[in-house]
């Protein structure tokens, strides 16, 4: 992720978990994402066959250089950029912007939500978190004010403090708190296997304005 040039890469939807392309993609995924936030290889492989998911890889020839994982809600005009990364040796070369634009195109007609670790807590990677949010800001995303996003992944230890960012993706209409609550319920259920009425959602929304405010 980050600024820079870089030639335009091919964008392909990943469909075969037995392919070398999948192996390269998963190597980038496993090395880029904190273990606490990762899904298992079988869980990722299962996404390839779901109608509401797209795993998009950026490649040059047979060389996978980056990817994005995108959830496309079936009953709401919303998508979630679950994760995006580029190969460690190719960062800061403009590939992140290409991956984000590929995600926006795949989410045409939908608002795009982005889960990001928050720099508002003291952490060893705070500088990286700040940089990542600035990157998404350059792509047109805005943070939802007063929403302390809770990532509902199982695992040991306290989950990181997170923010939720939103790209309007061509639709400037305000988003009501009720609509955001519905979106969060869809994400909790379809992405993380939790109840759409999970109590954490109401807690998250407690201080959110109506309509929501984007920073």
């Amino acid at each position: 992720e980050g600024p820079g040039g870089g030639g335009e890469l091919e964008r392909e939807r990943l469909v075969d978990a037995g392919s070398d392309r999948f192996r390269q993609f998963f190597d980038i995924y496993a090395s880029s994402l904190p273990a606490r936030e990762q899904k298992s290889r079988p869980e990722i492989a299962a996404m390839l066959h779901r109608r509401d998911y797209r795993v998009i890889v950026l490649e040059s020839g047979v060389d996978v250089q980056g990817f994005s994982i995108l959830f496309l809600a079936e009953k709401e005009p919303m998508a979630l950029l679950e994760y995006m990364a580029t190969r460690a040796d190719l960062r800061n070369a403009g590939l992140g912007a290409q991956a984000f634009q590929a995600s926006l195109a795949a989410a045409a007609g939908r608002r795009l939500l982005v889960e990001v670790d928050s720099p508002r807590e003291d952490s060893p990677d705070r500088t990286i978190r700040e940089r990542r949010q600035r990157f998404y800001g350059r792509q047109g995303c805005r943070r939802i004010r007063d929403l302390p996003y809770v990532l509902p992944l199982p695992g040991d230890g306290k989950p990181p403090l997170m923010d939720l960012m939103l790209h309007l993706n061509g639709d400037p209409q305000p988003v009501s708190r009720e609509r955001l609550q519905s979106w969060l319920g869809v994400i909790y259920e379809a992405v993380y296997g939790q109840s759409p009425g999970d109590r954490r959602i109401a807690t998250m929304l407690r201080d959110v304005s109506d309509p929501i405010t984007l920073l």
Side-chain angles (χ1 to χ4, degrees), residues 21-210:
R21 181 185 280 161
F22 181 86
R23 179 193 61 76
Q24 292 185 64
F25 146 75
F26 196 81
D27 284 348
I28 300 171
Y29 173 85
S31 63
S32 301
L33 191 63
R36 180 69 177 78
E37 299 174 36
Q38 288 187 27
K39 292 185 176 181
S40 68
R41 190 183 187 112
E43 286 177 310
I44 297 291
M47 290 177 181
L48 305 186
H49 306 291
R50 286 178 54 169
R51 291 190 310 171
D52 56 355
Y53 262 96
R54 300 288 184 276
V55 179
I56 303 167
V57 294
L58 299 180
E59 57 187 10
S60 176
V62 296
D63 188 24
V64 175
Q65 300 189 1
F67 73 87
S68 64
I69 298 174
L70 193 67
F71 165 73
L72 303 168
E74 295 191 308
K75 295 181 180 179
E76 289 279 357
M78 173 271 291
L80 173 72
L81 181 59
E82 192 169 325
Y83 200 69
M84 186 180 82
T86 57
R87 216 171 65 196
D89 61 321
L90 297 171
R91 287 176 188 156
N92 304 318
L95 301 186
Q98 288 193 42
F100 186 83
Q101 291 304 314
S103 302
L104 268 186
R110 302 166 183 267
R111 315 289 184 92
L112 181 63
L113 292 165
V114 184
E115 300 171 335
V116 285
D117 291 338
S118 177
R120 292 178 294 112
E121 69 176 350
D122 193 16
S123 62
D125 63 343
R126 191 173 190 173
T127 300
I128 296 173
R129 294 183 182 200
E130 291 173 343
R131 184 167 169 265
R132 189 173 292 132
Q133 289 209 6
R134 288 197 300 270
F135 164 78
Y136 284 117
R138 289 196 300 273
Q139 308 311 312
C141 299
R142 296 294 177 263
R143 180 168 63 85
I144 300 174
R145 191 176 74 179
D146 296 328
L147 181 75
Y149 185 67
V150 179
L151 189 72
L153 280 178
D156 296 328
K158 183 181 177 182
L161 181 66
M162 300 198 76
D163 291 321
L164 199 61
M165 301 184 78
L166 176 66
H167 193 293
L168 296 176
N169 206 9
D171 184 350
Q173 294 300 313
V175 177
S176 69
R177 187 169 56 195
E178 183 180 16
R179 173 53 61 86
L180 178 60
Q181 182 173 355
S182 178
W183 289 354
L184 293 173
V186 170
I187 291 169
Y188 261 53
E189 182 176 31
V191 176
Y192 297 110
Q194 305 295 312
S195 167
D198 192 296
R199 288 180 297 176
R200 288 172 289 189
I201 294 174
T203 300
M204 280 189 263
L205 290 168
R206 185 172 52 203
D207 297 324
V208 173
S209 62
D210 188 19

